Amino acid sequence: MKRKIIRLILIATLAFAVFKFILAPVWITGLSMEPTYHNGRLIFINRLIYLRRPPARGEVVAIRTSGLEVMYLKRVVALPGESLEIDNGLVKINGKLLAEPYVTKRQPWQVPTVTLEPDEYYVIGDNRENDAANHLFGRVAIERIVGRALW
Amino acid sequence: MVKNKIISISIITVLVIGGFFLYRYFFPNTERKIIRHLNSLVETVSFARSENSSGQIATALWAERLAEYFTENATIMLEDVTEQIWSLNGREQLKQTMLAARPRLESLDVSISDPVVFIKSSTTGQATVTIKARWQEGELDSNFWAREAVFELEKRDQQWLIIKVESVPVIRR
């Protein structure tokens, strides 16, 4: 009986540590990452991955606000120092068209060329069916990126 | 004997921890007072569907109560869902805007999370929070909006009032 209780306490402590510091559970609210992630789905954010290396293009990242209770989930499309332009809905990085197989439909967004600072990434949601005005996307500072979506 | 000691220690521990939380509740520090003030604001602004059948007088009182959280010439600059800045200047404009907005909404649920408070002086403070709002207009699905915002506050007559609210551009074009 005593061993069972100790085992339970250890498991509970481990679970707490994992979900508090390593894999942050996130409930998705909104449509900005459809069809990749659906509204109401539960995913996990790997909070340790960017301790070893910086975010890479194509990765879906969690971006914190004043804390971790509300985070934005977006995909990295451009890296620090790169220039990005959106022409008729198509993303160009340093003048070259970016292949985006995760985008199924897109509106003809127009975004003039922006050049990212050394500590900035450019993030966009996968759902490009709405007007650009109804979609939160753009530059984000590296320190705001909390981790990567696990799957 | 040992069992009695364990029980005594447990009771003392519970009393100490309970006493600590009671002390914090009844004698909050400045940061806690500011967070309570902001929580009180969002509770005041929120209303359920069942509360929305109240008449013009109730709506006017609601707008008046809201305005009392702000200084006379407070400014509010918040990014809306289309990233346009929604700007209000002064209590009066805030009141009028809320009076006009309420009849269009079936329900409104506002909350704040992850507050970070910085006390600048004995009479000024700043709180960075994430504001979450969920609202329903007519029979449409509920809308959701969340933004980080900074509140600047000033203490007047022992009460903290909001001088300024401004969105923080976490993701910007």
Side-chain angles (χ1 to χ4, degrees):
Chain A
M1 186 65 186
K2 201 175 165 185
R3 268 195 189 167
K4 270 190 182 168
I5 292 170
I6 291 171
R7 217 174 276 158
L8 268 170
I9 292 171
L10 280 172
I11 290 169
T13 307
L14 187 63
F16 174 79
V18 166
F19 292 116
K20 179 83 178 165
F21 302 109
I22 302 172
L23 292 178
V26 172
W27 288 103
I28 295 177
T29 302
L31 306 173
S32 72
M33 281 301 294
E34 299 262 350
T36 313
Y37 296 111
H38 298 295
N39 184 40
R41 181 177 162 179
L42 172 68
I43 64 165
F44 293 91
I45 302 299
N46 179 349
R47 294 185 60 191
L48 298 185
I49 190 164
Y50 297 137
L51 296 178
R52 296 186 288 122
R53 61 161 180 86
R57 196 186 327 276
E59 292 182 333
V60 177
V61 297
I63 298 156
R64 67 166 182 83
T65 51
S66 62
L68 302 182
E69 193 171 319
V70 175
M71 292 190 280
Y72 299 117
L73 196 69
K74 301 287 177 189
R75 191 181 296 272
V76 173
V77 296
L79 306 176
E82 291 182 337
S83 63
L84 170 140
E85 177 198 354
I86 304 180
D87 180 20
N88 215 26
L90 299 170
V91 176
K92 292 180 184 171
I93 308 295
N94 295 336
K96 288 185 183 168
L97 191 64
L98 177 69
E100 294 191 285
Y102 40 80
V103 176
T104 52
K105 293 177 189 170
R106 55 181 95 218
Q107 288 286 323
W109 295 358
Q110 294 292 136
V111 174
T113 306
V114 296
T115 302
L116 300 177
E117 299 291 328
D119 63 345
E120 280 183 336
Y121 290 78
Y122 205 95
V123 296
I124 314 178
D126 290 354
N127 185 356
R128 315 270 175 94
E129 283 188 65
N130 292 331
D131 278 342
N134 293 324
H135 192 116
L136 182 63
F137 66 94
R139 294 179 283 177
V140 65
I142 178 71
E143 60 262 20
R144 289 272 183 180
I145 297 177
V146 165
R148 191 188 79 175
L150 203 54
W151 60 78
Chain B
M1 188 75 173
V2 173
K3 198 175 170 185
N4 285 342
K5 272 192 179 173
I6 291 172
I7 291 170
S8 303
I9 291 169
S10 303
I11 290 170
I12 290 168
T13 306
V14 167
L15 285 173
V16 167
I17 293 171
F20 170 72
F21 282 109
L22 279 172
Y23 179 80
R24 278 202 342 172
Y25 181 80
F26 288 109
F27 301 99
N29 59 15
T30 305
E31 284 91 346
R32 206 155 291 281
K33 282 181 185 170
I34 288 175
I35 293 169
R36 275 193 195 171
H37 185 71
L38 295 179
N39 275 323
S40 174
L41 165 67
V42 296
E43 274 173 31
T44 303
V45 80
S46 302
F47 57 90
R49 196 181 257 266
S50 56
E51 295 171 62
N52 207 25
S53 52
S54 47
Q56 284 185 335
I57 295 174
T59 302
L61 285 172
W62 169 79
E64 189 70 43
R65 272 203 321 271
L66 266 179
E68 284 170 4
Y69 285 87
F70 296 83
T71 58
E72 297 83 8
N73 47 8
T75 58
I76 297 173
M77 288 189 294
L78 292 174
E79 206 179 55
D80 69 14
V81 291
T82 63
E83 292 183 62
Q84 298 301 309
I85 299 293
W86 183 75
S87 164
L88 292 175
N89 290 298
R91 255 189 201 171
E92 208 41 53
Q93 193 178 24
L94 169 67
K95 246 192 292 190
Q96 295 308 317
T97 304
M98 298 313 286
L99 274 171
R102 176 138 182 184
R104 294 200 324 253
L105 301 174
E106 290 292 320
S107 63
L108 175 62
D109 180 22
V110 184
S111 60
I112 58 167
S113 61
D114 296 323
V116 177
V117 179
F118 172 56
I119 305 300
K120 292 180 174 180
S121 72
S122 57
T123 57
T124 55
Q126 182 186 76
T128 303
V129 303
T130 300
I131 307 175
K132 292 182 288 185
R134 203 178 284 277
W135 70 95
Q136 197 162 0
E137 290 180 81
E139 295 304 317
L140 297 174
D141 288 338
S142 65
N143 300 283
F144 179 76
W145 173 92
R147 288 291 187 274
E148 185 175 324
V150 174
F151 286 77
E152 299 281 349
L153 299 106
E154 191 175 84
K155 195 172 183 182
R156 293 186 189 176
D157 299 327
Q158 302 304 313
Q159 201 187 1
W160 287 96
L161 294 177
I162 299 163
I163 313 166
K164 187 178 178 185
V165 185
E166 195 170 356
S167 293
V168 174
V170 172
I171 300 175
R172 57 192 182 93
R173 299 279 174 93

